[in-house]
Amino acid sequence: MSRMLSWLLVPLFSIALLMMLAIAVFYFNQERLIFFPEKLAEDFSFHFPIPFREANIQLKSGQKINYLVFNSESNQGTILYFHGNAGSLKEWGFVASDLVKHTGWAVWIMDFPGYGKSGGRLPKTEKILLEMGRALRSKLSQEKPHSPVVLFGRSIGSGIATALAAEHHPSGLILEAPYRSIAKLGKEIYPFLPEVFSRIDLDNEKALSAIHSMPVLIIHGSKDEVIPINHSKVLSGVNAEIKLIVIPDANHNNLDSFPAYWPAVHGFLLGLALQGFDHFGG
Protein backbone atom coordinates (compact mmCIF):
# COMPACT_ATOMS: atom_id res chain seq x y z
CA MET A 1 0.00 0.00 0.00
CA SER A 2 2.82 2.41 0.90
CA ARG A 3 4.55 1.67 -2.40
CA MET A 4 1.34 2.36 -4.32
CA LEU A 5 0.90 5.60 -2.41
CA SER A 6 4.42 6.62 -3.35
CA TRP A 7 3.68 5.97 -7.00
CA LEU A 8 0.66 8.26 -6.75
CA LEU A 9 2.42 11.00 -4.83
CA VAL A 10 5.43 11.29 -7.13
CA PRO A 11 3.48 12.43 -10.23
CA LEU A 12 1.24 14.66 -8.12
CA PHE A 13 4.28 16.27 -6.54
CA SER A 14 5.86 16.74 -9.97
CA ILE A 15 2.71 18.40 -11.32
CA ALA A 16 2.51 20.71 -8.29
CA LEU A 17 6.18 21.61 -8.67
CA LEU A 18 5.73 22.41 -12.36
CA MET A 19 2.70 24.59 -11.60
CA MET A 20 4.60 26.47 -8.89
CA LEU A 21 7.50 26.98 -11.31
CA ALA A 22 5.15 28.26 -14.04
CA ILE A 23 3.50 30.68 -11.59
CA ALA A 24 6.91 31.94 -10.44
CA VAL A 25 8.08 32.45 -14.04
CA PHE A 26 4.88 34.35 -14.83
CA TYR A 27 5.03 36.47 -11.70
CA PHE A 28 8.60 37.65 -12.22
CA ASN A 29 8.36 38.03 -16.01
CA GLN A 30 4.76 39.07 -16.64
CA GLU A 31 5.71 42.47 -18.08
CA ARG A 32 7.45 40.59 -20.92
CA LEU A 33 4.24 38.69 -21.59
CA ILE A 34 2.18 41.88 -21.66
CA PHE A 35 4.36 44.52 -23.34
CA PHE A 36 5.97 44.24 -26.78
CA PRO A 37 7.82 47.53 -27.34
CA GLU A 38 9.65 48.91 -30.33
CA LYS A 39 12.65 51.00 -29.26
CA LEU A 40 13.69 54.02 -31.32
CA ALA A 41 16.98 55.89 -31.43
CA GLU A 42 17.07 59.27 -29.69
CA ASP A 43 17.66 61.00 -33.03
CA PHE A 44 14.84 59.16 -34.82
CA SER A 45 12.66 61.54 -36.88
CA PHE A 46 8.92 60.97 -37.03
CA HIS A 47 7.08 61.53 -40.32
CA PHE A 48 3.29 61.77 -40.53
CA PRO A 49 0.83 63.13 -43.11
CA ILE A 50 -0.33 66.04 -40.94
CA PRO A 51 1.57 68.60 -38.81
CA PHE A 52 2.62 67.58 -35.30
CA ARG A 53 5.08 68.43 -32.59
CA GLU A 54 7.20 66.18 -30.42
CA ALA A 55 7.94 66.75 -26.73
CA ASN A 56 9.04 65.00 -23.55
CA ILE A 57 7.76 65.05 -20.01
CA GLN A 58 9.76 64.08 -16.92
CA LEU A 59 7.97 61.92 -14.36
CA LYS A 60 8.53 62.28 -10.63
CA SER A 61 9.93 58.75 -10.67
CA GLY A 62 12.63 59.95 -13.09
CA GLN A 63 11.53 58.47 -16.42
CA LYS A 64 11.42 60.62 -19.52
CA ILE A 65 8.23 60.06 -21.49
CA ASN A 66 8.06 60.94 -25.18
CA TYR A 67 4.78 62.22 -26.63
CA LEU A 68 3.33 63.71 -29.79
CA VAL A 69 0.74 66.45 -30.25
CA PHE A 70 -1.43 66.62 -33.37
CA ASN A 71 -3.39 69.87 -33.34
CA SER A 72 -6.58 70.54 -35.25
CA GLU A 73 -7.71 73.72 -36.96
CA SER A 74 -11.30 73.20 -35.80
CA ASN A 75 -10.35 73.41 -32.09
CA GLN A 76 -13.32 71.25 -31.09
CA GLY A 77 -11.52 69.50 -28.26
CA THR A 78 -8.61 67.21 -27.42
CA ILE A 79 -8.35 63.43 -27.35
CA LEU A 80 -5.82 62.02 -24.89
CA TYR A 81 -4.99 58.65 -26.47
CA PHE A 82 -3.42 55.61 -24.76
CA HIS A 83 -2.28 53.02 -27.29
CA GLY A 84 -1.97 49.24 -27.29
CA ASN A 85 0.79 47.00 -26.00
CA ALA A 86 2.94 46.68 -29.14
CA GLY A 87 5.00 49.00 -31.35
CA SER A 88 5.80 52.65 -30.70
CA LEU A 89 4.72 56.15 -31.72
CA LYS A 90 6.37 55.43 -35.06
CA GLU A 91 3.18 53.50 -35.95
CA TRP A 92 0.70 54.83 -33.41
CA GLY A 93 1.26 58.36 -34.69
CA PHE A 94 -0.59 57.36 -37.85
CA VAL A 95 -3.55 56.26 -35.71
CA ALA A 96 -3.47 59.68 -34.03
CA SER A 97 -3.33 61.51 -37.37
CA ASP A 98 -6.30 59.45 -38.63
CA LEU A 99 -8.25 60.47 -35.53
CA VAL A 100 -7.58 64.13 -36.27
CA LYS A 101 -8.60 63.78 -39.91
CA HIS A 102 -11.81 61.87 -39.17
CA THR A 103 -12.99 63.78 -36.09
CA GLY A 104 -11.50 67.28 -36.24
CA TRP A 105 -10.24 66.88 -32.66
CA ALA A 106 -6.64 67.41 -31.57
CA VAL A 107 -4.81 64.31 -30.29
CA TRP A 108 -2.11 63.90 -27.64
CA ILE A 109 -0.45 60.49 -27.58
CA MET A 110 2.48 59.11 -25.57
CA ASP A 111 4.78 56.09 -25.53
CA PHE A 112 4.99 53.87 -22.45
CA PRO A 113 8.28 53.55 -20.51
CA GLY A 114 10.66 51.39 -22.52
CA TYR A 115 8.82 52.14 -25.78
CA GLY A 116 10.03 54.28 -28.69
CA LYS A 117 12.04 57.22 -27.39
CA SER A 118 10.64 57.03 -23.87
CA GLY A 119 13.14 56.17 -21.17
CA GLY A 120 12.91 53.65 -18.38
CA ARG A 121 12.16 49.94 -18.33
CA LEU A 122 8.97 48.07 -19.09
CA PRO A 123 6.39 48.72 -16.35
CA LYS A 124 6.43 46.11 -13.57
CA THR A 125 3.25 47.49 -11.99
CA GLU A 126 0.42 49.75 -13.13
CA LYS A 127 1.69 52.56 -10.89
CA ILE A 128 4.10 53.94 -13.51
CA LEU A 129 1.43 53.71 -16.25
CA LEU A 130 -1.01 55.75 -14.19
CA GLU A 131 1.74 58.21 -13.23
CA MET A 132 2.56 58.91 -16.87
CA GLY A 133 -1.13 59.24 -17.75
CA ARG A 134 -1.68 61.75 -14.96
CA ALA A 135 1.45 63.68 -15.96
CA LEU A 136 0.33 64.09 -19.57
CA ARG A 137 -3.22 64.97 -18.54
CA SER A 138 -1.79 67.63 -16.22
CA LYS A 139 0.41 68.98 -19.01
CA LEU A 140 -2.59 69.15 -21.33
CA SER A 141 -4.61 70.99 -18.67
CA GLN A 142 -1.85 73.57 -18.29
CA GLU A 143 -1.57 74.23 -22.02
CA LYS A 144 -5.29 74.02 -22.87
CA PRO A 145 -7.26 74.66 -19.67
CA HIS A 146 -10.54 75.30 -21.47
CA SER A 147 -10.38 72.49 -24.02
CA PRO A 148 -12.93 69.67 -23.69
CA VAL A 149 -11.00 66.42 -23.16
CA VAL A 150 -11.99 62.90 -24.16
CA LEU A 151 -9.88 59.99 -22.95
CA PHE A 152 -9.38 57.21 -25.51
CA GLY A 153 -7.86 53.87 -24.56
CA ARG A 154 -7.14 51.03 -26.93
CA SER A 155 -6.60 47.48 -25.66
CA ILE A 156 -4.16 47.69 -22.73
CA GLY A 157 -4.43 51.50 -22.89
CA SER A 158 -8.12 51.20 -21.97
CA GLY A 159 -7.15 50.49 -18.35
CA ILE A 160 -5.17 53.73 -18.12
CA ALA A 161 -7.91 55.80 -19.75
CA THR A 162 -10.64 54.39 -17.51
CA ALA A 163 -8.62 54.85 -14.31
CA LEU A 164 -7.96 58.51 -15.18
CA ALA A 165 -11.59 59.06 -16.16
CA ALA A 166 -12.68 57.80 -12.74
CA GLU A 167 -10.29 60.28 -11.10
CA HIS A 168 -10.89 63.43 -13.14
CA HIS A 169 -14.20 63.01 -15.00
CA PRO A 170 -13.40 64.26 -18.53
CA SER A 171 -16.01 65.14 -21.14
CA GLY A 172 -16.18 61.53 -22.33
CA LEU A 173 -14.43 58.18 -22.55
CA ILE A 174 -13.84 55.91 -25.56
CA LEU A 175 -12.61 52.35 -25.10
CA GLU A 176 -11.54 50.21 -28.04
CA ALA A 177 -11.29 46.45 -27.44
CA PRO A 178 -11.08 46.77 -23.65
CA TYR A 179 -10.80 43.99 -21.04
CA ARG A 180 -12.53 43.53 -17.69
CA SER A 181 -9.09 43.51 -16.00
CA ILE A 182 -5.63 42.24 -16.91
CA ALA A 183 -5.91 39.68 -14.11
CA LYS A 184 -9.20 38.28 -15.43
CA LEU A 185 -7.91 38.20 -19.00
CA GLY A 186 -4.74 36.45 -17.82
CA LYS A 187 -6.83 33.89 -15.95
CA GLU A 188 -8.65 33.06 -19.18
CA ILE A 189 -5.39 32.60 -21.07
CA TYR A 190 -3.57 30.79 -18.25
CA PRO A 191 -6.30 29.04 -16.18
CA PHE A 192 -3.79 27.73 -13.62
CA LEU A 193 -2.73 31.25 -12.59
CA PRO A 194 -4.45 32.86 -9.58
CA GLU A 195 -5.63 36.41 -10.32
CA VAL A 196 -3.80 37.73 -7.25
CA PHE A 197 -0.47 36.98 -8.96
CA SER A 198 -1.03 39.73 -11.53
CA ARG A 199 1.22 42.71 -10.70
CA ILE A 200 -0.49 44.73 -13.44
CA ASP A 201 -4.27 44.66 -13.17
CA LEU A 202 -5.78 47.88 -14.61
CA ASP A 203 -9.29 46.88 -13.56
CA ASN A 204 -11.68 48.46 -16.09
CA GLU A 205 -14.72 46.91 -14.45
CA LYS A 206 -13.93 48.46 -11.08
CA ALA A 207 -13.02 51.87 -12.54
CA LEU A 208 -16.15 52.05 -14.70
CA SER A 209 -18.32 51.31 -11.68
CA ALA A 210 -16.97 54.54 -10.15
CA ILE A 211 -17.90 56.64 -13.21
CA HIS A 212 -21.32 58.24 -13.25
CA SER A 213 -23.08 60.82 -15.45
CA MET A 214 -20.35 60.66 -18.11
CA PRO A 215 -20.81 59.32 -21.66
CA VAL A 216 -18.78 56.20 -22.41
CA LEU A 217 -18.40 54.48 -25.79
CA ILE A 218 -17.04 50.95 -26.15
CA ILE A 219 -16.15 49.57 -29.58
CA HIS A 220 -15.25 45.90 -29.97
CA GLY A 221 -14.94 43.42 -32.82
CA SER A 222 -17.14 40.32 -32.70
CA LYS A 223 -14.19 38.13 -33.73
CA ASP A 224 -11.52 39.64 -31.47
CA GLU A 225 -8.95 36.88 -31.01
CA VAL A 226 -6.95 38.70 -28.30
CA ILE A 227 -9.61 40.11 -25.96
CA PRO A 228 -12.92 38.25 -26.36
CA ILE A 229 -16.03 40.32 -27.02
CA ASN A 230 -17.52 39.00 -23.76
CA HIS A 231 -15.27 41.43 -21.83
CA SER A 232 -16.94 44.45 -23.42
CA LYS A 233 -20.39 42.94 -22.97
CA VAL A 234 -19.74 42.67 -19.25
CA LEU A 235 -18.30 46.20 -19.09
CA SER A 236 -21.27 47.67 -20.96
CA GLY A 237 -23.56 46.49 -18.20
CA VAL A 238 -21.70 48.33 -15.43
CA ASN A 239 -23.79 51.50 -15.80
CA ALA A 240 -26.41 53.01 -18.08
CA GLU A 241 -24.06 55.66 -19.51
CA ILE A 242 -22.06 53.05 -21.45
CA LYS A 243 -22.86 52.47 -25.11
CA LEU A 244 -21.45 49.32 -26.72
CA ILE A 245 -20.96 49.05 -30.48
CA VAL A 246 -20.04 45.58 -31.70
CA ILE A 247 -18.53 45.52 -35.18
CA PRO A 248 -19.38 42.20 -36.86
CA ASP A 249 -16.44 40.18 -38.22
CA ALA A 250 -13.83 42.66 -36.93
CA ASN A 251 -10.86 41.31 -35.00
CA HIS A 252 -8.47 42.97 -32.56
CA ASN A 253 -6.38 44.92 -35.05
CA ASN A 254 -8.66 45.90 -37.91
CA LEU A 255 -11.62 47.69 -36.32
CA ASP A 256 -10.94 51.02 -38.05
CA SER A 257 -11.09 49.36 -41.48
CA PHE A 258 -14.82 48.61 -41.10
CA PRO A 259 -17.43 51.14 -42.32
CA ALA A 260 -19.13 51.34 -38.91
CA TYR A 261 -16.01 52.40 -36.99
CA TRP A 262 -15.46 56.05 -37.88
CA PRO A 263 -19.16 57.05 -37.82
CA ALA A 264 -19.32 55.55 -34.29
CA VAL A 265 -16.33 57.57 -33.05
CA HIS A 266 -17.33 60.78 -34.83
CA GLY A 267 -20.96 60.41 -33.78
CA PHE A 268 -19.99 60.01 -30.13
CA LEU A 269 -17.85 63.17 -30.21
CA LEU A 270 -20.55 65.09 -32.06
CA GLY A 271 -23.05 64.02 -29.44
CA LEU A 272 -20.83 65.42 -26.69
CA ALA A 273 -20.65 68.76 -28.50
CA LEU A 274 -24.42 68.90 -28.96
CA GLN A 275 -25.00 68.14 -25.28
CA GLY A 276 -22.50 70.79 -24.22
CA PHE A 277 -19.22 70.16 -22.43
CA ASP A 278 -19.51 70.18 -18.66
CA HIS A 279 -16.03 68.86 -17.96
CA PHE A 280 -12.58 69.91 -19.11
CA GLY A 281 -9.03 68.70 -18.72
CA GLY A 282 -8.38 70.19 -15.30
Side-chain angles (χ1 to χ4, degrees):
M1 179 67 71
S2 60
R3 182 177 296 179
M4 183 179 295
L5 185 61
S6 297
W7 288 347
L8 290 172
L9 289 177
V10 168
L12 289 175
F13 178 78
S14 299
I15 292 171
L17 187 62
L18 286 173
M19 288 184 66
M20 289 174 62
L21 180 62
I23 290 172
V25 169
F26 172 82
Y27 183 79
F28 291 106
N29 295 277
Q30 59 190 263
E31 66 272 14
R32 298 186 182 278
L33 299 174
I34 296 173
F35 300 105
F36 300 93
E38 175 188 34
K39 284 297 294 179
L40 301 174
E42 283 291 326
D43 61 352
F44 179 84
S45 294
F46 294 106
H47 298 281
F48 302 110
I50 63 174
F52 68 96
R53 66 179 173 89
E54 178 184 359
N56 296 305
I57 192 168
Q58 194 81 17
L59 303 184
K60 292 180 181 178
S61 53
Q63 286 95 331
K64 180 197 74 173
I65 299 299
N66 188 239
Y67 68 96
L68 301 174
V69 173
F70 296 81
N71 286 316
S72 170
E73 294 181 1
S74 65
N75 251 347
Q76 296 184 60
T78 303
I79 294 171
L80 188 52
Y81 189 98
F82 300 99
H83 66 62
N85 69 332
S88 72
L89 290 180
K90 178 182 176 183
E91 295 84 24
W92 288 106
F94 287 99
V95 175
S97 62
D98 281 345
L99 267 173
V100 175
K101 288 188 291 184
H102 283 277
T103 68
W105 283 53
V107 177
W108 287 42
I109 183 171
M110 68 195 321
D111 254 339
F112 305 151
Y115 280 65
K117 296 163 76 171
S118 288
R121 299 179 179 179
L122 295 182
K124 290 185 177 293
T125 68
E126 61 191 63
K127 180 180 179 181
I128 184 66
L129 294 171
L130 297 180
E131 182 188 356
M132 72 166 202
R134 294 181 186 116
L136 193 62
R137 180 207 56 78
S138 179
K139 183 69 173 176
L140 171 58
S141 298
Q142 293 169 18
E143 291 194 15
K144 304 174 73 174
H146 303 298
S147 173
V149 174
V150 167
L151 301 182
F152 193 136
R154 186 196 186 304
S155 192
I156 196 166
S158 65
I160 306 169
T162 306
L164 294 183
E167 292 177 359
H168 299 286
H169 210 79
S171 296
L173 173 66
I174 301 175
L175 304 177
E176 183 176 330
Y179 43 82
R180 294 175 64 191
S181 74
I182 294 292
K184 287 182 173 62
L185 180 61
K187 180 69 174 177
E188 292 179 9
I189 300 172
Y190 307 103
F192 61 89
L193 291 174
E195 289 185 26
V196 294
F197 278 80
S198 180
R199 287 188 277 107
I200 300 172
D201 194 14
L202 293 171
D203 194 328
N204 275 321
E205 196 169 357
K206 181 179 178 181
L208 282 172
S209 67
I211 294 174
H212 304 285
S213 302
M214 187 184 74
V216 179
L217 173 66
I218 297 178
I219 308 176
H220 212 126
S222 67
K223 294 185 177 179
D224 194 315
E225 73 287 7
V226 178
I227 303 174
I229 182 62
N230 181 62
H231 282 253
S232 281
K233 289 181 177 179
V234 172
L235 293 177
S236 68
V238 171
N239 68 58
E241 297 292 328
I242 301 174
K243 179 180 182 181
L244 170 63
I245 293 182
V246 178
I247 299 185
D249 298 322
N251 61 39
H252 192 69
N253 293 309
N254 67 354
L255 280 161
D256 63 352
S257 67
F258 283 76
Y261 179 85
W262 287 113
V265 175
H266 185 263
F268 177 77
L269 296 173
L270 183 60
L272 295 179
L274 292 175
Q275 293 171 24
F277 298 110
D278 296 325
H279 307 285
F280 300 95

